[in-house]
Amino acid sequence: IADKLAWRQGMLVFRHITLAEAAAEFNRYNDRKLVITNDIAGLKINGTFAKSSTEAFARTARSALALHVALLDREIVLSR
């Protein structure tokens, strides 16, 4: 239950969820959107992040899953 309510303290807790699900959660709280390409949408990730830390999430996903990250003006695109 604590993980599900972490957003109240400005945190997002992910436990073995897909990149697509994580991106959807981040996109609820941020203007700069995370875009996940279809070929990696089902990859799983774990971690705890500030809900405004889209770039930190992208760096973690890049390192953990060997992904490419493109930082654009209004989007952060994760791909293979």
Side-chain angles (χ1 to χ4, degrees):
I1 293 176
D3 289 354
K4 295 287 185 194
L5 298 177
W7 64 270
R8 291 183 177 179
Q9 283 74 43
M11 303 300 290
L12 297 174
V13 179
F14 303 134
R15 301 218 189 282
H16 202 65
I17 69 166
T18 66
L19 289 177
E21 292 169 319
E25 280 301 303
F26 272 108
N27 291 345
R28 291 177 62 199
Y29 302 105
N30 295 284
D31 291 331
R32 190 176 193 193
K33 302 302 181 191
L34 282 170
V35 176
I36 310 297
T37 58
N38 288 337
D39 59 326
I40 64 166
L43 296 177
K44 304 281 182 155
I45 196 158
N46 297 301
T48 301
F49 303 90
K51 64 183 181 181
S52 62
S53 295
T54 52
E55 285 188 40
F57 174 79
R59 285 192 304 272
T60 300
R62 179 186 63 207
S63 296
L65 302 169
L67 301 177
H68 175 74
V69 175
L71 301 174
L72 307 175
D73 185 40
R74 304 282 296 159
E75 298 176 331
I76 299 173
V77 180
L78 282 78
S79 61
R80 197 147 320 253

